[in-house]
Amino acid sequence: MPTKKDNVVIFDTTLRDGEQSPGFSMTIDEKLTLAAQLAKLKVDVIEAGFPRSSPGDFEAVNRIAREIKGPVIAGLARALKADIDSCFDALKPAKKKRIHTFIGTSEQHIKYQMKKTKPEALAMAISAVKRAREYVKDVEFSAMDASRTDRSFLYEILEAVIAEGATTVNIPDTVGYAIPEEFGRMIAEIKENVPNIDKAIISVHCHNDLGLAVSNSISAVMNGARQIECAVNGIGERAGNASLEEVVMAMKTRKDFVKVNTTIATKELCKTSRLLVAITGVPIQPNKAIVGENAFAHESGIHQDGVLKERTTFEIMTPASVGLKKNTLVLGKHSGRHAFRKRLEMLGYKLKADALDKAFAKFKDLADKKKQIFDEDLEAIVGEEMASAKQVFTLEHVQTSSGTSTIPTATIRLLKGRKSFTDSATGDGPVDAAYKAIERITGIQGKLMTYNIRSIGFGKDAVGEVMVKVDIDGDICFGKGTSTDVIEASAKAWLVAINRKAK
Ligand code: KIV
Ligand code: ZN
């Protein structure tokens, strides 16, 4: 991939490293929706998945390759012929495609995981790159666990894969072990010790086990790396990957010091982050840098006073630069389908006709209960519509009774296809009773791990949003539900989580 000296390639791995972590799995349609937004964000490379890992991953990569224009589409492949062949098959329709092949290079990985020797790993890496180059010009090689790899072996393998035609060499801190100064120095030493390194772009892929993924990535860039692998909201294996929005805004805000550019449309950052939350149902912490709810909120009197007098007293970047807008009153009871669709499109959501019909019906229903509808309300409706697209059971009716001297009771009616099922249960409170009634109908038992409730927008008539984390047979499933009735929102959230296991 041709790139200017001071341009850092943003390689997004939300759909691969991010999606493979527990609780973040997405349907193919959801992956396509997110990939379309990543293209609007102008990431340079979308790693769409790992085609050989499952037929679902293959199809997702293939559809993204066919439908998403703009970024390079990459697929992951182990250093095995069958993986590389399958990766190319999946990527075929893409205009710009990259095969990303990897092998563990540290003692721990070669000896204990692969049960091989260094010369065997080296030979596998060389033949993988050779095979990939028979298919495409753009080949990335990753030396997995590079930060714990014996340095002379790392130099040897990098030189060999570049000689074989790898155009990007990735240095992953797979276990999140590196410290920024050390990791930066490592990149500088790779530049000094790999004779043909100028023929490839150096990439980094940092995990966040010590909370240093962003710092390590920036330190690497300051020492010559020109690709960062990162994920929206920092999702990924274990503690996650470097957060895309953080690395991008660090380089933009401190361009005076880091001295590099990216092509990212930063005004799309908040929307992308919110879309991922809407799709997965996994919330981000309020104090998350760049995209958290409080990232631009000035609470203390001194801070508020300062910002009112002069923004730069306490603000290093503007909310507008990351696409954070003030609450806008958008639609009301009398708004039509056309205005509704147009507003959704402005927010970045393109729904298919049937999903649009359902979302519009929900909007009308909400507009009857609530006078003013804000962008956040629309996002909640769309998020719910996306989540319900894969619902086996849908909530038709919920009725609860509770009070200081009443046994809390819930009656629930669910639809499965055209069949409706009704059952009742008692519980510690109306939410507990509703969850027990749902369990009785679906036969799926879950353990509630976390339950969070918040209001979307302002006012006593605001929509309530409930997010739950449920342990179902050891798998963590997330669910989100919204309604002006918080019991209904709670039931919907539980049902979204349960549906992830329903057949
Ligand atoms: O963390 C890692 O090393 C990876 C590689 C496959 C790049 O995800
Ligand atoms: Zn990783």
Side-chain angles (χ1 to χ4, degrees), residues 16-17 76 100 102 142 144-145 170 172-174 205 207 229:
R16 201 278 298 166
D17 208 316
L76 186 69
H100 175 195
F102 73 100
S142 280
M144 187 159 73
D145 205 13
N170 187 32
D173 181 26
T174 304
H205 174 112
H207 278 272
E229 302 198 353

Side-chain angles (χ1 to χ4, degrees), residues 133-421:
R133 277 304 306 250
E134 284 165 16
Y135 289 129
V136 290
K137 287 203 183 88
D138 189 347
V139 172
E140 174 170 335
F141 171 78
S142 280
M144 187 159 73
D145 205 13
S147 52
R148 293 191 303 167
T149 295
D150 163 60
R151 213 46 98 63
S152 57
F153 182 60
L154 183 62
Y155 299 151
E156 186 185 350
I157 203 165
L158 294 179
E159 185 181 355
V161 294
I162 295 171
E164 210 54 61
T167 43
T168 299
V169 286
N170 187 32
I171 313 299
D173 181 26
T174 304
V175 290
Y177 180 70
I179 299 291
E181 202 183 324
E182 174 196 36
F183 196 60
R185 206 179 315 129
M186 178 177 175
I187 301 301
E189 286 164 6
I190 287 172
K191 283 191 81 174
E192 280 162 25
N193 289 287
V194 178
N196 53 1
I197 196 72
D198 56 320
K199 302 217 164 43
I201 291 177
I202 303 179
S203 166
V204 289
H205 174 112
C206 298
H207 278 272
N208 206 29
D209 300 66
L210 295 174
L212 294 171
V214 170
S215 310
N216 282 331
S217 307
I218 300 296
S219 176
V221 162
M222 294 192 65
N223 284 280
R226 285 295 175 267
Q227 173 174 289
I228 295 182
E229 302 198 353
C230 47
V232 178
N233 296 342
I235 71 170
E237 278 286 352
R238 307 179 311 280
N241 285 92
S243 138
L244 182 148
E245 51 283 355
E246 292 176 27
V247 291
V248 166
M249 288 314 285
M251 289 187 281
K252 184 177 163 113
T253 309
R254 295 308 313 277
K255 189 172 181 326
D256 60 312
F257 192 70
V258 189
K259 299 195 174 11
V260 288
N261 297 306
T262 72
T263 52
I264 295 297
T266 61
K267 289 193 172 150
E268 296 291 326
L269 285 172
C270 276
K271 195 193 290 173
T272 313
S273 161
R274 288 212 290 259
L275 180 61
L276 180 64
V277 172
I279 288 174
T280 59
V282 185
I284 50 172
Q285 84 228 39
N287 59 325
K288 161 91 178 63
I290 317 294
V291 291
E293 211 177 302
N294 297 350
F296 291 90
H298 301 279
E299 275 300 320
S300 96
I302 297 178
H303 286 216
Q304 282 179 353
D305 179 58
V307 170
L308 286 174
K309 285 179 179 144
E310 165 56 41
R311 187 192 66 75
T312 55
T313 48
F314 287 99
E315 228 170 56
I316 56 167
M317 50 197 164
T318 63
S321 67
V322 298
L324 198 66
K325 288 184 225 104
K326 286 235 152 53
N327 260 339
T328 25
L329 170 63
V330 282
L331 300 170
K333 200 173 164 161
H334 302 293
S335 308
R337 199 174 182 280
H338 181 71
F340 177 72
R341 181 171 57 79
K342 278 263 164 272
R343 188 71 206 170
L344 285 187
E345 282 177 9
M346 275 183 68
L347 291 172
Y349 300 105
K350 254 196 169 149
L351 300 190
K352 289 199 185 127
D354 54 338
L356 185 70
D357 285 345
K358 284 192 207 150
F360 185 62
K362 282 185 181 159
F363 157 71
K364 280 288 182 189
D365 195 33
L366 182 63
D368 269 343
K369 295 179 186 149
K370 193 173 180 279
K371 267 201 231 113
Q372 303 176 322
I373 308 274
F374 295 90
D375 281 345
E376 286 88 339
D377 295 316
L378 296 185
E379 280 173 344
I381 290 173
V382 176
E384 197 172 288
E385 202 37 60
M386 284 174 167
S388 68
K390 58 188 167 209
Q391 300 247 54
V392 177
F393 292 99
T394 49
L395 182 69
E396 214 185 22
H397 168 88
V398 53
Q399 187 188 323
T400 53
S401 66
S402 66
T404 41
S405 50
T406 327
I407 296 174
T409 312
T411 301
I412 296 279
R413 189 159 66 235
L414 300 183
L415 268 183
K416 185 179 184 188
R418 293 212 187 134
K419 250 180 141 181
S420 109
F421 301 86

